[in-house]
Structures are given as structure tokens and as C-alpha cells.
């Protein structure tokens, strides 16, 4: 059994201003920097070290990872945030009021140049599964994004479990085990920065 620690990046200026942030990027806020460093200290205090670390190619994710650990890491496009097309950098209130897991609305962003839910789910699952399948990856840290992580959860968790953690605060870490025999992930626990 292997361990995956899947983390959402720290708070950014767009998060603070309630702007849609998928393919676009914005820098971490002072709070985002503080929370990332706090989570890094907490993981170290728990005696957690990582064989390897990975981040999305977007700066808010790699900047967060660099505050959590000083170890070398790899940036992977498969860990990027959902592309929301023309909704990028627009106020969040313009987003439709539906659950992203609703199959009837899963393609909402496609006509606007964005990704379908299944595209995000497939690339997240494929990328993380490939990471965990490598022999020397026993305990891994991955830094990604809120909506992209949600799609990974939809793949591997029940709707009841997801409801409990759907509103994923910035810098939250989700711990999963990975069964090498079956290729399946199982949720274990969650660490939220404001609860440390």
C-alpha cells in the first residue's frame, strides 16, 4: 500500500477577489504563503517525508509546493486546473449554480472553449495513477487545484464522502492510500490549515 498526499494550492489574488481561476494564473496572497508554510511545518512535525513531489505547471501550485518542501519536484500538465474557457478571470457569480458532478451539466464549459468534466477527471486520474504506479513512489506529495481535485474525488469517492469535503479550503491536504495490486485509491483523512 502506498500513500498519496494531494494538496490544493494556497490562496491567490483571484481566490481573494472571487474571480474564476482555471487556466489563468495569479500569485499567492500573504495568507496563501503563510498557510503553505504552515502546512509544510505540520507535515514535517508529523514525520512525513516524501519520496517524490509533483505540482501542476501553473505557478500557484509550484509556488505552494516550494513553500511546503525544499525537495526537488516535477511539474506535470496533467495536474492543471480545469479550463473554464471564456469564464476565465470573470466573477465567480457568473458560473452556473450546479454541482460539477451533475452529468447533465458536465459539458457546460465546452461551448465556451473550456473542458468537459470527464476530460478533467480522466487526465487527473491518469496522471496521478501513473505517478503512484512507479516503483520508487511510496509516499508522494502532489499539489494541484480545487476543481481538478474535485474531479479526482468524483472518480474515487462516494457522493456522501465528497459532500463532506467539497468546499476544499486552500492548502488543504487529502491523504489517500493506493493499492498497487488493484490500482485503486482510498480516502484516509484530510488536513485543513485553519484546523492545525
Amino acid at each position: 500500500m502506498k500513500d498519496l498526499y494531494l494538496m490544493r494550492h494556497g490562496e491567490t489574488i483571484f481566490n481573494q477577489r472571487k474571480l474564476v481561476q482555471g487556466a489563468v494564473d495569479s500569485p499567492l496572497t500573504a495568507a496563501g504563503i503563510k498557510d503553505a508554510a504552515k502546512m509544510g511545518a505540520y507535515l514535517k512535525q508529523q514525520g512525513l517525508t516524501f519520496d517524490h513531489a509533483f505540482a501542476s505547471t501553473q505557478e500557484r501550485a509550484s509556488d505552494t509546493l516550494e513553500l511546503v518542501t525544499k525537495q526537488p519536484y516535477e511539474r506535470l500538465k496533467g495536474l492543471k486546473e480545469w479550463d473554464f474557457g471564456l469564464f476565465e478571470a470573470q466573477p465567480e457569480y457568473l458560473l452556473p449554480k450546479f454541482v460539477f458532478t451533475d452529468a447533465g451539466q458536465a459539458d457546460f464549459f465546452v461551448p465556451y472553449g473550456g473542458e468537459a468534466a470527464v476530460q478533467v477527471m480522466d487526465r487527473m486520474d491518469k496522471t496521478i495513477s501513473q505517478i503512484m504506479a512507479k516503483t520508487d513512489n511510496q509516499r508522494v506529495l502532489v499539489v494541484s487545484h480545487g476543481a481538478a481535485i474535485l474531479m479526482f474525488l468524483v472518480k474515487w469517492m462516494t457522493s456522501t464522502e465528497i459532500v463532506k469535503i467539497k468546499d476544499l479550503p486552500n492548502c488543504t491536504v487529502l491523504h489517500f492510500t493506493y493499492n498497487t495490486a488493484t490500482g485503486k485509491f482510498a480516502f484516509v483523512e484530510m488536513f485543513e490549515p485553519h484546523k492545525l
Side-chain angles (χ1 to χ4, degrees):
M1 203 69 75
K2 299 182 178 184
D3 294 285
L4 165 68
Y5 289 82
L6 181 57
M7 180 178 187
R8 184 184 178 197
H9 64 79
E11 181 191 65
T12 67
I13 290 174
F14 273 28
N15 291 148
Q16 192 179 63
R17 295 179 182 173
K18 306 278 188 228
L19 297 174
V20 176
Q21 183 178 221
V24 297
D25 216 348
S26 69
L28 298 179
T29 62
I33 291 168
K34 180 181 175 184
D35 285 345
K38 182 179 178 182
M39 185 56 74
Y42 175 77
L43 295 174
K44 187 175 181 181
Q45 181 185 32
Q46 299 305 304
L48 292 172
T49 56
F50 303 100
D51 302 310
H52 296 281
F54 301 85
S56 153
T57 50
Q58 291 163 295
E59 285 189 16
R60 59 192 186 270
S62 55
D63 288 351
T64 297
L65 189 133
E66 290 172 13
L67 291 161
V68 171
T69 178
K70 300 302 180 197
Q71 74 183 84
Y73 66 95
E74 187 177 348
R75 299 174 76 188
L76 299 173
K77 288 182 180 180
L79 301 172
K80 292 194 320 182
E81 180 59 296
W82 192 325
D83 185 339
F84 297 110
L86 294 177
F87 286 88
E88 295 285 345
Q90 299 301 312
E92 289 179 355
Y93 67 77
L94 294 176
L95 293 176
K97 303 299 182 210
F98 64 81
V99 178
F100 285 115
T101 57
D102 179 353
Q105 301 289 343
D107 293 335
F108 179 85
F109 298 104
V110 174
Y112 302 99
E115 288 180 285
V118 69
Q119 289 177 286
V120 182
M121 182 190 299
D122 287 349
R123 69 171 164 79
M124 282 290 288
D125 181 51
K126 179 181 177 182
T127 303
I128 295 174
S129 294
Q130 286 175 344
I131 288 169
M132 298 309 295
K134 291 183 179 178
T135 308
D136 59 341
N137 289 352
Q138 297 297 316
R139 184 187 290 153
V140 172
L141 175 64
V142 172
V143 181
S144 187
H145 308 266
I149 290 173
L150 175 59
M151 288 298 95
F152 181 78
L153 303 187
V154 170
K155 172 77 178 179
W156 294 106
M157 296 172 68
T158 66
S159 55
T160 305
E161 290 173 315
I162 293 171
V163 165
K164 294 178 184 176
I165 60 173
K166 187 178 70 170
D167 297 323
L168 198 66
N170 292 98
C171 284
T172 294
V173 175
L174 302 169
H175 175 201
F176 290 85
T177 56
Y178 175 76
N179 188 319
T180 53
T182 63
K184 293 184 177 180
F185 292 88
F187 176 68
V188 179
E189 59 190 332
M190 176 170 70
F191 309 123
E192 297 177 70
H194 65 277
K195 292 184 178 179
L196 301 182

